[in-house]
């Protein structure tokens, strides 16, 4: 099997957005989160579980406030950092594969800023502001890359990305470095899983 194209999600795949998440949550709750509490909740993905550990009742209003701050407060994106190894790994892989980024960030310029700020290979960046529309973006990448679906790998922390990719015949790799609580779910729906991006080159060698 010859792999020609790699599609990377950004948040929690190559980007550690933990601090943005914490600050967005503090703004939504109008209170500070102690370091001790943050250690207990930072690896949780779903807001209802986070609030449960904080002994706060989940409501749709809190969710909307959190998402508003997390997705639209531009000042918070300065706290995003690459995961260890993400930059050198992708910059090495671009010598062998076509690189695409597919993100659900609503503010597309924040994706471009992150990629350029940390000197990632500046591949093709697709921003999908509605996760339910990712179908069309996978199709766009298949068409733009002039590749067959089985020649493409999608790397993401999101189980839904894996399900969507596989629907089109794209190989799915789940990474759970940013959210260890998602490991079991990813293992159920992905073709392959890795604990961090540094494991990707060896996996690609084995797949090929």
């Amino acid at each position: 099997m010859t792999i020609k194209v790699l599609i990377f999600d950004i948040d929690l795949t190559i980007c550690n957005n933990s601090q943005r998440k914490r600050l967005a949550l503090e703004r939504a709750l109008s209170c500070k989160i102690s370091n001790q509490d943050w250690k207990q909740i930072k690896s949780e993905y779903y807001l209802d579980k986070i609030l449960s550990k904080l002994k706060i009742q989940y409501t749709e209003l809190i969710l909307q406030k959190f998402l508003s701050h997390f997705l639209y407060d531009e000042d918070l994106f300065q706290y995003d950092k690459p995961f260890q190894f993400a930059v050198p790994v992708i910059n090495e892989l671009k010598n062998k594969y076509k690189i695409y980024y597919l993100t659900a960030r609503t503010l597309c310029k924040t994706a471009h800023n992150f990629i350029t700020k940390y000197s990632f290979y500046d591949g093709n960046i697709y921003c999908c502001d509605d996760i339910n529309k990712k179908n069309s973006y996978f199709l766009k990448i298949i068409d733009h890359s002039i590749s067959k679906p089985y020649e493409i790998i999608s790397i993401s922390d999101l189980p839904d990305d894996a399900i969507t990719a596989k629907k089109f015949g794209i190989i799915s790799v789940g990474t759970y470095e940013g959210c260890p609580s998602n490991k079991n779910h990813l293992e159920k729906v992905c073709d392959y899983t890795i604990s961090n991006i540094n494991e990707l080159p060896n996996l690609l060698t084995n797949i090929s």
Side-chain angles (χ1 to χ4, degrees):
M1 183 186 302
T2 301
I3 303 301
K4 298 180 179 179
V5 179
L6 303 178
I7 306 172
F8 289 92
D9 181 29
I10 293 181
D11 286 302
L12 293 183
T13 298
I14 62 174
C15 169
N16 183 346
N17 61 19
S18 178
Q19 186 63 8
R20 170 160 54 101
K21 176 180 175 181
R22 178 178 181 171
L23 294 172
L25 186 57
E26 289 180 341
R27 290 182 181 182
L29 298 175
S30 299
C31 68
K32 293 291 185 181
I33 298 172
S34 69
N35 290 337
Q36 182 177 354
D37 284 340
W38 183 244
K39 287 180 181 179
Q40 296 179 15
I41 65 175
K42 68 178 181 179
S43 64
E44 289 291 349
Y45 184 80
Y46 296 102
L47 186 62
D48 57 341
K49 293 183 178 180
I50 290 173
L51 294 179
S52 177
K53 289 187 175 182
L54 292 174
K55 296 181 171 55
I56 296 174
Q57 180 65 42
Y58 170 88
T59 67
E60 286 295 319
L61 179 59
I62 293 177
L63 173 62
Q64 293 307 316
K65 285 184 176 180
F66 168 72
L67 290 176
S68 178
H69 292 303
F70 186 69
L71 296 174
Y72 293 99
D73 288 6
E74 292 188 40
D75 63 306
L76 296 187
F77 286 89
Q78 66 182 302
Y79 298 102
D80 288 353
K81 305 289 184 184
F83 282 121
Q84 187 179 17
F85 307 119
V87 175
V89 165
I90 290 179
N91 288 350
E92 178 64 26
L93 291 174
K94 58 94 172 166
N95 295 316
K96 187 175 181 180
Y97 307 95
K98 294 180 181 178
I99 303 295
Y100 289 80
Y101 303 99
L102 177 56
T103 175
R105 290 191 180 199
T106 304
L107 300 177
C108 195
K109 66 180 180 180
T110 66
H112 286 273
N113 290 344
F114 175 76
I115 294 300
T116 57
K117 177 180 179 179
Y118 291 104
S119 301
F120 281 95
Y121 170 68
D122 191 7
N124 299 281
I125 302 175
Y126 288 80
C127 296
C128 175
D129 61 1
D130 182 348
I131 196 169
N132 296 314
K133 296 179 181 178
K134 276 199 171 180
N135 288 8
S136 63
Y137 284 85
F138 277 114
L139 289 173
K140 287 179 181 179
I141 292 174
I142 292 172
D143 182 61
H144 185 272
S145 66
I146 318 176
S147 301
K148 303 295 184 183
Y150 56 80
E151 297 173 326
I152 302 173
I153 290 181
S154 169
I155 304 101
S156 175
D157 68 292
L158 295 172
D160 285 347
D161 279 358
I163 293 169
T164 302
K166 290 172 68 175
K167 182 164 64 174
F168 294 110
I170 294 172
I171 300 168
S172 64
V173 174
T175 176
Y176 49 87
E177 179 176 12
C179 193
S181 62
N182 261 2
K183 178 182 177 182
N184 290 339
H185 195 176
L186 288 169
E187 289 177 338
K188 290 178 181 178
V189 299
C190 294
D191 295 305
Y192 305 92
T193 57
I194 54 177
S195 63
N196 60 69
I197 289 296
N198 198 38
E199 296 178 1
L200 184 60
N202 284 340
L203 176 62
L204 292 172
T205 299
N206 292 335
I207 293 175
S208 299

